[in-house]
Amino acid sequence: DGGITQSPKYLFRKEGQNVTLSCEQNLNHDAMYWYRQDPGQGLRLIYYSQIVNDFQKGDIAEGYSVSREKKESFPLTVTSAQKNPTAFYLCASRPRGRGYGYTFGSGTRLTVV
Amino acid sequence: AQKVTQAQTEISVVEKEDVTLDCVYETRDTTYYLFWYKQPPSGELVFLIRRNSFDEQNEISGRYSWNFQKSTSSFNFTITASQVVDSAVYFCALSEASRSGGSNYKLTFGKGTLLTVNP
């Protein structure tokens, strides 16, 4: 079955460490997105990518980095520069073109210890 | 700038009650799309409906119905005869073209409404 796989489901990070969240899709979607969800804040866009080897900053990109070397993969690195990284992270993808909604992964819950 | 407002932070109902979740949006585009997503406790967002700005017909799907009114920029969602399994966070979202052009259409989400259906 086609879908988006995020791993790991739970991740613990020590302060000062970088961690990478995985997002893989087999839907042949062109665009991929990373959102951060905090209680009461809804979903906020971190980075997005429309095609391989290209990506743009979203509304809260500081302290995060991404790469898009393959169409299927869009990993997110939470760097030590991100001051408050504890959150729920959602990856999504969609086909190219107007009007399509997102397909979401099941999320990764990151906790700084 | 695009904006989606879900004024109801939390709603609690008793099973079998009808409940309406409000969504108000702002956009300068004449063509846009509206969505509703459901986020159960497992965390994954599940797509419920998409509506484009040219189609103001209301829609009913089983116990779910949606009321789109362009005049008031609202896209409200009603669950009839609610059930415990309807308990979740519900998000309304708006899609319009990015200011930088191209074919990327980002979704802007409201902050969500937590619906609790009690037995």
Side-chain angles (χ1 to χ4, degrees):
Chain A
D1 289 338
I4 297 181
T5 302
Q6 287 189 243
S7 61
K9 191 171 180 65
Y10 297 96
L11 186 58
F12 297 89
R13 189 195 92 170
K14 292 182 180 179
E15 288 197 26
Q17 283 184 338
N18 294 352
V19 289
T20 297
L21 283 57
S22 171
C23 178
E24 303 276 335
Q25 54 102 357
N26 60 2
L27 300 165
N28 199 33
H29 287 173
D30 290 293
M32 296 188 74
Y33 305 79
W34 274 104
Y35 282 86
R36 169 177 171 145
Q37 185 178 16
D38 297 280
Q41 293 291 323
L43 278 69
R44 294 183 290 171
L45 181 63
I46 305 173
Y47 268 98
Y48 61 98
S49 167
Q50 302 180 63
I51 56 173
V52 174
N53 294 322
D54 183 59
F55 48 82
Q56 288 82 40
K57 292 181 179 180
D59 301 318
I60 56 165
E62 185 176 350
Y64 300 97
S65 65
V66 293
S67 63
R68 187 87 186 274
E69 297 177 1
K70 299 186 300 182
K71 188 176 184 178
E72 301 79 16
S73 179
F74 191 41
L76 173 74
T77 297
V78 184
T79 75
S80 56
Q82 171 48 238
K83 295 177 181 176
N84 185 21
T86 295
F88 188 55
Y89 291 87
L90 284 159
C91 179
S93 70
R94 66 186 294 280
R96 199 174 179 84
R98 191 185 273 274
Y100 292 103
Y102 292 176
T103 299
F104 281 89
S106 56
T108 293
R109 189 166 299 280
L110 173 63
T111 303
V112 174
V113 297
Chain B
Q2 54 190 348
K3 184 179 178 182
V4 176
T5 301
Q6 294 180 254
Q8 304 149 309
T9 306
E10 294 186 37
I11 299 175
S12 182
V13 299
V14 177
E15 208 169 16
K16 297 185 183 177
E17 283 186 29
D18 298 348
V19 57
T20 295
L21 309 182
D22 297 333
C23 174
V24 175
Y25 62 91
E26 296 176 27
T27 177
R28 288 177 285 181
D29 277 7
T30 55
T31 302
Y32 52 88
Y33 292 81
L34 294 160
F35 302 82
W36 275 95
Y37 284 86
K38 174 181 179 180
Q39 186 180 37
S42 60
E44 182 173 345
L45 270 75
V46 177
F47 167 79
L48 294 177
I49 190 172
R50 178 192 73 181
R51 173 67 74 214
N52 75 54
S53 53
F54 297 109
D55 183 1
E56 290 192 69
Q57 282 191 346
N58 294 329
E59 182 159 338
I60 298 174
S61 176
R63 296 184 299 105
Y64 296 168
S65 63
W66 289 269
N67 183 1
F68 176 34
Q69 292 195 344
K70 224 170 171 179
S71 60
T72 56
S73 297
S74 65
F75 186 43
N76 296 337
F77 172 35
T78 297
I79 302 175
T80 303
S82 60
Q83 301 176 1
V84 173
V85 293
D86 295 326
S87 297
V89 180
Y90 290 86
F91 290 96
C92 180
L94 166 68
S95 172
E96 60 182 36
S98 65
R99 291 290 171 256
S100 61
S103 62
N104 181 61
Y105 300 96
K106 297 179 288 180
L107 288 189
T108 296
F109 288 84
K111 293 188 175 182
T113 298
L114 172 62
L115 173 64
T116 302
V117 181
N118 299 297

